Amino acid sequence: KEAFPNTPLLCYFEWFYHSIGSDADFDPAEPLTVDDMARIRIKNAPILIDLYSCDWGLSPTYWQRSQFPPELQQKLSVLHDGVDTDYFKPDPGAKLILPNLDLSGVDEIVTYVSRGMEPYRGFPEFIESIAYLQERRPNCHVVIVGSDRVCYGRSLPNGESYKDHMLKKVPLDMSRVHFVGPLPYGLYLKVIQASDVHVYLTRPFVLSWSMIESLSAGCLVIGSDTGPVREVIRDGENGLIVDYFSPKQVADRIDEVLDHPTRMAEIRVKARQTALERYSLAKMLPQQLQLIEQIANRSMPPTVGMQPERELAASFGVRI
């Protein structure tokens, strides 16, 4: 604003940090110190400067907007970045064949996708759920997409990766667990199109775009019972919801899907409908351009991306 004081400024706001009530204190096994709380609070300093300085702000989901100070939320429109639903679409009968992995003869494929293998995305809990699953389903294979690194949250103090830590802790039949690393979009798409069950676990944090892409591809998504997921998934309608901290419940719901594929077919259809109706790039991009035009013309508050508070709360399962 100092360089261009008369130019309208639209800022993108993804997350506002809290030491209490969201991601940081979500796991009771990881208590925060006063130093932790002070460090988390100071992270908001540049964000608050931007909130004050901008003419308007944009947040991708209602859950994420709800993390910002109430007195400033009315300065934020909500528009998702959008998912290319023409690209991420179902492929009935898809078989999974990657350069170094051929699961074309496998009838039960469970998938998990994350940038990193870390507690923020429920990686330890997912690995524990695989142990339950392998006891029950001798023909089930699990495909894990992502890098062996920490993108969010703390690393282990001894420098060990969460992948190595969990594989030492939980004995698995590794012939049926496939770590395929990060994949280019084309191969990643093949994984989720061939998925029989897709598991997405997250702390109350930024929603992963991969969950929306999986819905768009017609996946049966099992998601954690946390705010960002509840904004999108209604249990038994367009996906299934599980307790983040219960690997056994994750395995139970995977069993439920694999045992009743016909009964679950309608959920897959509604998953795709959710992506088309609420997150399609074809719908989101014109609204984003309209918002930019309104801000440029100083038409504020803009009409794009605003929603009544009661509808906002209901969108992620909160009553007011």
Side-chain angles (χ1 to χ4, degrees):
K1 291 298 274 188
E2 282 66 37
F4 302 100
N6 299 316
T7 301
L9 175 62
L10 173 66
C11 287
Y12 183 91
F13 293 101
E14 187 173 49
W15 189 245
F16 195 85
Y17 294 90
H18 296 271
S19 59
I20 298 173
S22 61
D23 58 312
D25 67 338
F26 180 65
D27 189 342
E30 298 179 4
L32 299 177
T33 66
V34 174
D35 283 347
D36 290 328
M37 295 179 182
R39 175 178 49 79
I40 291 168
R41 182 179 293 273
I42 207 68
K43 283 184 175 183
N44 290 320
I47 298 171
L48 286 167
I49 291 173
D50 286 342
L51 273 167
Y52 168 77
S53 302
C54 73
D55 294 273
W56 200 256
L58 171 65
S59 194
T61 70
Y62 290 100
W63 158 257
Q64 287 164 245
R65 190 185 90 157
S66 75
Q67 301 305 300
F68 287 82
E71 62 271 24
L72 295 172
Q73 287 179 26
Q74 297 307 312
K75 199 179 182 181
L76 303 177
S77 294
V78 176
L79 285 176
H80 196 270
D81 297 29
V83 167
D84 187 346
T85 52
D86 291 332
Y87 184 79
F88 288 99
K89 60 185 178 182
D91 180 10
K95 299 295 182 181
L96 181 53
I97 302 175
L98 301 178
N100 298 310
L101 179 66
D102 186 345
L103 296 183
S104 57
V106 173
D107 293 327
E108 296 179 354
I109 297 177
V110 176
T111 57
Y112 172 95
V113 173
S114 180
R115 287 176 61 202
M117 300 174 193
E118 58 208 349
Y120 258 61
R121 300 308 190 193
F123 177 77
E125 288 76 13
F126 179 66
I127 293 296
E128 290 184 20
S129 74
I130 297 174
Y132 288 108
L133 196 62
Q134 289 192 333
E135 290 177 1
R136 307 169 185 176
R137 311 195 79 90
N139 299 316
C140 181
H141 285 247
V142 176
V143 179
I144 297 173
V145 179
S147 299
D148 185 13
R149 61 174 178 146
V150 172
C151 298
Y152 306 112
R154 299 174 179 172
S155 300
L156 288 169
N158 61 3
E160 186 178 30
S161 74
Y162 282 101
K163 175 185 174 182
D164 291 341
H165 175 74
M166 291 308 300
L167 292 182
K168 288 178 184 177
K169 178 181 176 182
V170 182
L172 299 175
D173 174 4
M174 295 305 295
S175 69
R176 295 188 285 131
V177 181
H178 312 280
F179 289 90
V180 297
L183 297 175
Y185 261 116
L187 297 181
Y188 156 56
L189 176 61
K190 289 181 182 295
V191 170
I192 58 177
Q193 285 177 329
S195 173
D196 294 294
V197 188
H198 182 77
V199 178
Y200 176 74
L201 306 176
T202 185
R203 290 186 178 190
F205 189 56
V206 174
L207 183 73
S208 301
W209 281 199
S210 66
M211 195 191 86
I212 307 297
E213 291 164 350
S214 299
L215 294 173
S216 183
C219 284
L220 197 300
V221 175
I222 295 178
S224 54
D225 189 12
T226 49
V229 175
R230 286 197 302 269
E231 179 175 335
V232 183
I233 291 181
R234 294 289 180 265
D235 188 36
E237 295 181 19
N238 59 352
L240 300 177
I241 294 291
V242 291
D243 181 352
Y244 175 99
F245 293 109
S246 178
K248 185 177 183 301
Q249 188 180 111
V250 174
D252 289 344
R253 300 228 79 172
I254 293 172
D255 265 340
E256 182 183 352
V257 176
L258 295 177
D259 285 340
H260 304 95
T262 303
R263 194 178 76 193
M264 297 291 173
E266 183 61 25
I267 294 180
R268 293 177 179 275
V269 171
K270 290 184 177 179
R272 168 78 172 163
Q273 288 177 348
T274 299
L276 288 171
E277 293 170 3
R278 296 171 56 185
Y279 302 102
S280 169
L281 181 62
K283 288 187 175 183
M284 293 294 101
L285 184 55
Q287 292 183 60
Q288 292 161 7
L289 293 173
Q290 184 182 357
L291 177 64
I292 292 171
E293 183 176 353
Q294 289 182 352
I295 300 303
N297 293 329
R298 302 185 184 278
S299 301
M300 290 178 285
T303 60
V304 181
M306 303 305 291
Q307 182 171 328
E309 198 68 25
R310 188 171 297 276
E311 291 181 32
L312 185 161
S315 70
F316 48 87
V318 177
R319 293 184 179 182
I320 60 173

